[in-house]
Structures are given as structure tokens and as C-alpha cells.
Amino acid sequence: MTAAPSSPTASAILDSAELDRLIAGLSGEGYQVIGPTIRDGAVVYEPLQTAAALPWGWADRQDGGSYRLVKSERNAAFDHVVGPQSWKRYLYPPVQRLWQAQRRGRGFLGVTRNPPTPHYAFFGVRSCELHAIQIQDRVFNNGAFADPGYLARRAAAFIVAVNCARPAGACFCASMNTGPRASEGFDLALTELLDSERHEFLVEVGSAKGAAILGCLSYRPAGDSDIKAAQTVWDAAANAMGRTMPAGVETLLKHNLEHPRWDEVGQRCLNCGNCTLVCPTCFCTTMEDVTDLTGRTAERWRKWDSCFTLDFSYIHGGSIRRDSRSRYRQWLTHKLANWHDQFGSSGCVGCGRCITWCPVGIDITEEARAIRDNGG
Amino acid sequence: MAIGKKPKLAVWKFSSCDGCQLSLLDCEDELLQLAASVEIAYFLEATRAQIRGPYDISLVEGSIATPEDVERICQVRRQSKKLITIGACATAGGIQALRNFKDVDQFIQAVYAHPHYIDTLATSTSIGNHVSVDFELRGCPIDKHQLLEVLSAFLNSRKPNVPRYSQCIECKQAGTVCVMVAQGIPCLGPVTQAGCGNLCPRCRRGCYGCFGPKETPNTASLSHWFEQLGMPPREIQHAYRSFNANAPEFRKESERYD
């Protein structure tokens, strides 16, 4: 696990009723608050007006290819874990117009600029997601090819993290050293303390911005018993992980590019692209240049793409990766192995989304284990 | 297209329900711009006025289901510089291609009081099975935004942005929650081409496969999952046998359940 401070430098206790004021306070500071809420049978990240929109009393049951919301035994705001969406939806929108130009004479002029940068407050960011954001930071803040839109949205964002009280069935953050406890990269971090006697939140402050917002709320300083209660929550989540990624997976995959397991998983893989789109670190996009009927207006759009499409590897003469086997291998070896060479860390944060949202339940931890256990 | 002269557009109907042609009239806001960009030379659903060919762009709706269709599509091809087929009938044979799995003579004997009036082929097939086609636009019906995109692309000599990837990618881009994973509803999205704007999953229904097979669809794996969700084999077969029953990948998968 990532080293976390055993006692936070500044922490406070908020009553659960204060969540509303926290959301209002963030709105008052000009942030659009985005947080978890229930839609169409899942927890999704959408604009929040009040704390009432949080999934109070709901938990999720997750397994390969299956996600169900279930009533929790208690009325917690954050007993759910991660859903089908991630914060990349806001930091790196799925469909974005990059520019528009009008025809003038023989050329094009009048390029329109992008709309002003939105100021988001992300409410309820899990530790794995904080790590995913930091991974995307490294992808997009890369010098010559930095993405100004992403960096502007990222710099403007306020992050309220939430420490998981329970992992979902597909979670394996503990074995990726990315959670379950949020250790850095937040402005405020909440731990929900709920028992028969109280419903409160331990708040850890991670930045001056966070301290300023906390200062607008009614709170009391956290005592030793509060920290101890929070520690119980953190430990319970860490000790209940649903899945584990085998150690040394980077080397394992690099040494097994022709393992028969790739053929086997290729038979099951639908090459539908779901795993890449729910992954909080996958960043591939395609560009579409469009014109209107008259040819007087041209636009460039950027859209989320996936290495599971044929077009993704299309070069002169055709696609390089024509079968599911080679596309699946490309994705998994990039995510778990070659990402280290490219960006200095694994591309996987153990959130389990690719397992849960694979329509046929392919489990990357199981695939890695199968390679390891069969001569890999 | 020739500079200074508006390209001539023709819209042809074969065996079909007219719904895809209607998508053109359904363009509403863009219809005036379209009318300003092309000369609508032959479009009987919109106007009786007819201008003789040849035509710069022909949109062809419907499948080849009668002997007369076979002759007429060859005439249309000869008169058309670019021929674009629109809809599941034209690109795969349509719902009427269900006859391909049965003996059509038995249907005719059972249904019609005077079977000898009926002159039909034993199969319903796509336009591409009979003449060369410059672009196939999928859907039952087609999506009007994709139609405008294809027309814009041909008018501006560029490649249409019509992805052949799965419906799932469109659902995820739109933020639609997966109905199969979150609710256990069987959905053809993972093997179906995107393009409809995820109409059914947005309404908590599984994809019916109206846009036909995606590129490299893995139907066998999806069917296996349907079985695990408890879907009876006959229903799995029916799922593949709808508007795109005769699309080769769907046809092959449904025949596994014969």
C-alpha cells in the first residue's frame, strides 16, 4: 500500500448534515459540483445540487460482467464503490469539438476557440481514481505534446476524496498499491463514520483550498477516538479486497507474448471496447474532420476511441491487429507492462471497472494468473 | 462534383417500407440546406417531378426481392456516378430476408388466395449482392445525422465519419449505463455497429441489432453469455434473425441454433 500518514496533519469532524453545506460552499466558490448519484440502475457521476442526490443507503454488488445496486443495511452516503463512469468523463470529455473554421476564398479562416474552462469540484473521488487522475496527468502533461484543455480543466478542479468503507467484488487496488485509502492528491478527504451512535465524517485537509472551504463549515477538531474509528474503516476495506493482481505482472506479460492463453481469451473477447472506455486511465481518441453540406464550414472533433477497433491500428494497407487475440494482448500488455516504460508506472489502478463492465466478464486478474500458472 | 453546377441526387426504392427515404424528409432543419446543395432530380416520395439521369448520387433503399428488382437495380447503377445504399433492407436484405431461411413457395401457397399472381424471388438480398456499391449506410431505419454526414462527405469528396465499431462505444461516449451488465438484459450492442444514438439502451432495453454486425463481431461468445443469462436457444436465434437476419455474421450465428 501507498504510505499514508498515520495521523492526518489537520482533520476535523463534520456531521452528515454538513455535506449539504459543503456542496453549497463549493458551488458558492464557483465550482460545478459533480458527484455520485443513481441513474438507470447504477451510480454515475453527474452534477449535484444537494447532498440528497447522493446514493444514501445503496451499495453495489460487482462481479465479472455484472453490477447490481442493492439496499445497504445502513443509510451511508458512500457504501457504493465505483460505477461505470470515471472522472475522465469531465477532465477529458468523450466528444469534444476542437475547432471550427469558415471558408474564405480559397482557404479557411475564423477558427473558433474552445469555450471557457469549467471549474469542477469532484465530490466522492476514490483512492484508485486519484491515482488514475495522476496517471492521466503524466500522459497529458508530457512536454511537447501536452494537452492544454486537459491541463486547464485539471488545474481548475477541486477534489473531495472519499475513503472506501468497503471494496466492491471486482476491486484490487490493494495489490496495485493505489488504495483503498486516499493518501494524496485531494483538497479534502472524507471518511464516513457511521454506527448506532453517530453519522459523521472525518475530514482530512490536503491543500490550502481545502482548508478554506472547511473553514466555512461547522466542524469540531477530530480526536484520537475519531481517528481510531476511521482507521477501523480503512483497515476493513483493505482487508476485504475482492481480487488480487499477481505480483510481477509487468515482467510476466512481457515474457509471455506468445502464451496460448491469448488465443483462449481472444475466443471470448467481444472486441467491443467497453473495458477501455470504462478504464479511468485509457486515453485514446480519434479525430474526425467534418464539413457541412455546403463545404463552407469545417470542424475537427475529438472522440474517445479504443484499441479494440480495427481503425485504431489502420495504416496504409490495412489494420495491423485484425483478430481479438492481438487486440486484447495489445491492451493488456500496454496497461500492465509497457505503460511502465512509457509513463513510469502501471496503467492499472485496480478499480475493477474493466472486469465488471466487460459484457462477458473477462477478468484481467484472472488472465494474468492463468498465464502465470500455466508455464508463464 | 462539377463546379458551379449542383449535383443531381436521386432516391430509389426497392423492397422496403419507405422509412429510410423518410429520414431524408425528416432532416427538417437541414432540409433547406440540402435542397440548396443538390438538385433533387428523382425522389418520388417527395415530388412527382422527375429529371432524367445520369445522377451524381443515388440513394438506394430496399432489398432485391423480385425479378423486376434485379433488372431495375442494374439500370439505376448504370445511371449513377455514386451509389449509396441506405438501410437494413438495402445493406442486408431487411426483415423480408427471413424468407431466406424457409421455403417461400409454401408461404405464398398459405397466404395468398391466388398464388399465381405472386412473382417473387426465393430470397431477399442486399443491393451489394447484385451491383457494386460505393457506400453502405446501415440502420433500420438509418439515422438522419449519419445520412447527412454521408451526403456531406460525398459532396465534399471526403471520407464519411461512420464508424464500424460496436454500439457499446457509442453508449459509453454518451454515458448510457450498460443494460446487460447493470440489469441483466440481453443486448446485441457488443456485436452491433454503432450509429443509432443508443436509442434502446437509453430506454433500458437491449440493442436489437438494427445497424447490423459491427466489424469483426464475436457473436459466438456473446451467445454463450446470453445462454448463461438464461436466454433460451430459440430466443437467441430470434435475436439475430430480425432486420439484419441475412447479414453474413448474424446469419451464420442464427444457423448455429437451427
Side-chain angles (χ1 to χ4, degrees), chain A residues 68 268-269 271-272 291 310, chain B residues 158 166 181 214-215 218 221:
Chain A
R68 293 290 183 281
R268 282 178 289 137
C269 174
N271 60 79
C272 58
T291 52
L310 274 183
Chain B
R158 65 175 173 85
S166 69
V181 170
K214 73 183 261 296
E215 61 188 16
N218 189 347
S221 176

Side-chain angles (χ1 to χ4, degrees), chain A residues 39-42 44 64-68 85 89 94 266-272 274 277-278 288-295 303-304 306 309-310 322 327 356-357 359-361, chain B residues 30 33-34 37 148-149 151-153 155-156 158-159 161 163 165-166 168-169 172-178 180-184 190-191 202 204 214-218 221-222 225:
Chain A
R39 171 168 62 74
D40 296 334
V44 293
S66 174
Y67 177 101
R68 293 290 183 281
Q85 300 176 348
R89 176 160 210 89
Q267 297 286 314
R268 282 178 289 137
C269 174
L270 302 174
N271 60 79
C272 58
N274 274 301
L277 299 181
V278 297
E288 286 185 0
D289 288 346
V290 300
T291 52
D292 65 358
L293 287 163
T294 62
K303 290 182 166 179
W304 283 359
S306 169
T309 71
L310 274 183
R322 298 205 60 81
R327 281 179 256 170
T356 298
W357 298 96
V360 293
Chain B
E30 299 86 356
Q33 199 186 40
L34 178 67
S37 304
L148 284 168
E149 166 60 15
L151 285 173
S152 299
L155 291 173
N156 290 288
R158 65 175 173 85
K159 185 173 167 258
N161 293 301
Y165 54 53
S166 69
C168 304
I169 291 186
K172 289 294 182 291
Q173 285 175 348
T176 301
V177 174
C178 178
M180 193 150 73
V181 170
Q183 297 179 64
V191 295
R202 269 195 293 161
R204 295 188 177 209
K214 73 183 261 296
E215 61 188 16
T216 64
N218 189 347
S221 176
L222 185 67
W225 194 259

Side-chain angles (χ1 to χ4, degrees), chain B:
Chain B
M1 305 302 160
I3 293 170
K5 201 174 149 200
K6 284 204 286 186
K8 280 159 77 176
L9 177 75
V11 184
W12 308 93
K13 174 189 159 60
F14 285 77
S15 296
S16 58
C17 78
D18 286 42
C20 290
Q21 294 184 53
L22 207 54
S23 300
L24 196 59
L25 292 176
D26 196 27
C27 285
E28 296 170 359
D29 291 346
E30 299 86 356
L31 199 56
L32 287 176
Q33 199 186 40
L34 178 67
S37 304
V38 297
E39 181 179 21
I40 296 179
Y42 182 91
F43 187 10
L44 292 185
E45 191 162 285
T47 170
R48 269 187 278 176
Q50 298 175 26
I51 299 170
R52 287 165 61 91
Y55 305 100
D56 293 292
I57 298 177
S58 276
L59 298 176
V60 178
E61 175 198 87
S63 70
I64 302 300
T66 69
E68 189 237 339
D69 285 343
V70 179
E71 288 174 24
R72 196 157 60 92
I73 190 59
C74 294
Q75 291 165 13
V76 169
R77 178 69 265 191
R78 277 196 295 274
Q79 295 180 76
S80 309
K81 290 182 187 164
K82 297 286 182 190
L83 190 154
I84 301 167
T85 53
I86 58 170
C89 298
T91 60
I95 190 76
Q96 59 273 27
L98 287 177
R99 73 167 74 162
N100 302 7
F101 300 90
K102 301 286 180 187
D103 180 354
V104 76
D105 283 335
Q106 284 183 3
F107 288 145
I108 292 168
Q109 298 297 331
V111 171
Y112 295 98
H114 300 285
H116 54 275
Y117 287 137
I118 305 299
D119 186 16
T120 188
L121 296 173
T123 57
S124 170
T125 47
S126 73
I127 301 297
N129 282 137
H130 300 268
V131 296
S132 68
V133 170
D134 295 290
F135 192 84
E136 290 190 328
L137 184 62
R138 302 278 196 84
C140 184
I142 55 168
D143 174 85
K144 72 170 188 177
H145 302 291
Q146 284 203 331
L147 177 62
L148 284 168
E149 166 60 15
V150 170
L151 285 173
S152 299
F154 274 83
L155 291 173
N156 290 288
S157 303
R158 65 175 173 85
K159 185 173 167 258
N161 293 301
V162 176
R164 298 214 53 217
Y165 54 53
S166 69
Q167 182 56 56
C168 304
I169 291 186
E170 206 176 42
C171 274
K172 289 294 182 291
Q173 285 175 348
T176 301
V177 174
C178 178
V179 295
M180 193 150 73
V181 170
Q183 297 179 64
I185 299 170
C187 175
L188 284 177
V191 295
T192 298
Q193 182 171 309
C196 68
N198 51 99
L199 286 175
C200 288
R202 269 195 293 161
C203 302
R204 295 188 177 209
R205 292 188 307 188
C207 169
Y208 286 84
C210 305
F211 277 58
K214 73 183 261 296
E215 61 188 16
T216 64
N218 189 347
T219 49
S221 176
L222 185 67
S223 301
H224 179 66
W225 194 259
F226 285 170
E227 287 172 21
Q228 290 182 321
L229 288 178
M231 198 173 177
R234 191 174 156 78
E235 281 183 32
I236 297 176
Q237 183 179 55
H238 286 175
Y240 292 106
R241 280 198 186 160
S242 63
F243 321 106
N244 288 284
N246 200 47
E249 298 92 339
F250 283 3
R251 182 189 175 101
K252 195 173 145 213
E253 186 60 17
S254 76
E255 283 173 343
R256 289 206 309 129
Y257 287 88
D258 272 341

Side-chain angles (χ1 to χ4, degrees), chain A residues 313-360:
Chain A
S313 68
Y314 186 92
I315 58 166
H316 175 75
S319 287
I320 298 170
R321 300 184 197 105
R322 298 205 60 81
D323 53 19
S324 288
R325 170 191 181 274
S326 57
R327 281 179 256 170
Y328 188 84
R329 183 179 64 178
Q330 156 65 24
W331 177 64
L332 204 67
T333 53
H334 185 219
K335 183 70 49 184
L336 296 175
N338 302 323
W339 204 291
H340 286 274
D341 305 322
Q342 197 178 3
F343 301 113
S345 73
S346 172
C348 175
V349 295
C351 70
R353 285 183 177 88
C354 59
I355 301 171
T356 298
W357 298 96
C358 171
V360 293

